[in-house]
Amino acid sequence: AALKARELALEIYGQGSYKLAQVNKSISDIYSSNKDYKSALSYSIQNIKIYDSLPNVYSEIIIQNDLSVIGAYRNIPKLDSAEYFASIAINKFKNSNCKDSVLLGQLFFENGNIKSDKKSYIESINIYNNAKNIFIKIKDSMELSAVYAQMGYVYGQLADFENAKKSYLCELKLDRNLFGDNSIEVAFGHGSLGLLFENTGDYKNAKDEYLLEKKIYDKLYPDNSIEQA
């Protein structure tokens, strides 16, 4: 249906139309949800060309498309290309009239993820801190939780276990407020802490966290316990 809509938009509005770009975005989102990142990327790249040819396109729309391009390249994975587009997108944001701080935070977050994927962990932490500070300032708990989760992982890779623990605890606190004590997000948080404690040889606390994780899963899936999964 989405491809038919694109053919119709192409026939009615032509190659360089905003309507076609909207349809391209929908198709790209569908491909991304199905993990076909190469196909998703092709439609997002088409939109870069369309937006470049159109006057007065909102900066927010252009940067949202850039985020789609970055995410697709990262998932393929083509990390150098993802890093290149992330750098361009951040500069584009700074030179635009865009006031959407969430988008800037997301750009930093994606750039931090790319650095983490490339095992440039110290660079990754520095970039995550930019995202963290933005989301703290605008009080976006959902985005902030994701940043803390990634910072916990990266600090763990750096063997900075104290900061890893602090990051995971911050994530856990936010997720409790966002989703409730018996949510799958909180279960993941306990699992991350359990793995961290296990890696440091603190098996007592690791066991306690894993048991808290299991307790939540047993409540969420009473007919399919964690032993059966």
Side-chain angles (χ1 to χ4, degrees):
L3 291 173
K4 287 183 178 179
R6 186 182 188 279
E7 290 176 7
L8 184 61
L10 184 59
E11 182 180 340
I12 296 173
Y13 300 107
Q15 284 281 359
S17 73
Y18 182 67
K19 291 288 186 182
L20 180 61
Q22 288 179 304
V23 176
N24 281 346
K25 182 184 184 306
S26 296
I27 296 172
S28 177
D29 290 344
I30 291 168
Y31 278 124
S32 289
S33 66
N34 291 320
K35 302 187 186 304
D36 183 352
Y37 300 113
K38 289 184 179 180
S39 296
L41 176 65
S42 68
Y43 286 97
S44 295
I45 291 290
Q46 287 178 41
N47 276 359
I48 289 178
K49 297 174 182 177
I50 292 174
Y51 293 143
D52 284 346
S53 71
L54 294 174
N56 303 320
V57 179
Y58 287 120
S59 300
E60 289 84 354
I61 293 171
I62 294 173
I63 292 166
Q64 284 169 354
N65 187 69
D66 289 342
L67 279 165
S68 297
V69 171
I70 295 162
Y73 271 127
R74 182 175 167 239
N75 282 300
I76 286 173
K78 288 187 176 180
L79 297 180
D80 287 341
S81 295
E83 189 173 32
Y84 171 76
F85 273 94
S87 176
I88 288 177
I90 289 170
N91 287 330
K92 193 183 297 182
F93 183 99
K94 291 178 177 178
N95 293 324
S96 74
N97 59 358
C98 183
K99 305 298 181 184
D100 190 339
S101 297
V102 174
L103 285 178
L104 181 58
Q106 289 172 338
L107 285 171
F108 279 125
F109 182 55
E110 280 299 315
N111 202 11
N113 289 337
I114 295 162
K115 296 293 186 183
S116 173
D117 291 346
K118 297 179 82 170
K119 303 187 187 307
S120 300
Y121 294 125
I122 293 176
E123 284 185 85
S124 176
I125 287 294
N126 291 335
I127 296 169
Y128 282 144
N129 274 319
N130 289 329
K132 181 186 77 173
N133 291 335
I134 289 170
F135 294 136
I136 288 174
K137 183 177 180 180
I138 64 176
K139 299 179 179 179
D140 191 323
S141 297
M142 187 83 73
E143 297 285 356
L144 186 57
S145 170
V147 174
Y148 277 128
Q150 288 301 110
M151 291 181 78
Y153 167 77
V154 172
Y155 276 127
Q157 296 301 303
L158 290 168
D160 185 346
F161 299 119
E162 189 59 35
N163 275 319
K165 177 182 172 183
K166 287 178 182 177
S167 297
Y168 283 138
L169 286 172
C170 287
E171 176 204 4
L172 201 55
K173 182 178 179 180
L174 289 167
D175 285 348
R176 281 198 181 100
N177 291 332
L178 285 165
F179 306 109
D181 290 340
N182 294 314
S183 62
I184 196 166
E185 290 81 6
V186 170
F188 285 155
H190 285 301
S192 296
L193 278 168
L195 183 59
L196 178 68
F197 285 130
E198 183 180 352
N199 289 338
T200 60
D202 187 348
Y203 300 115
K204 180 184 181 303
N205 278 322
K207 179 181 177 182
D208 290 344
E209 293 296 334
Y210 287 142
L211 286 172
L212 288 169
E213 179 188 24
K214 179 182 182 303
K215 183 178 179 181
I216 294 172
Y217 280 126
D218 286 347
K219 286 183 178 180
L220 290 172
Y221 310 107
D223 297 325
N224 186 23
S225 71
I226 202 165
E227 290 96 339
Q228 296 171 316

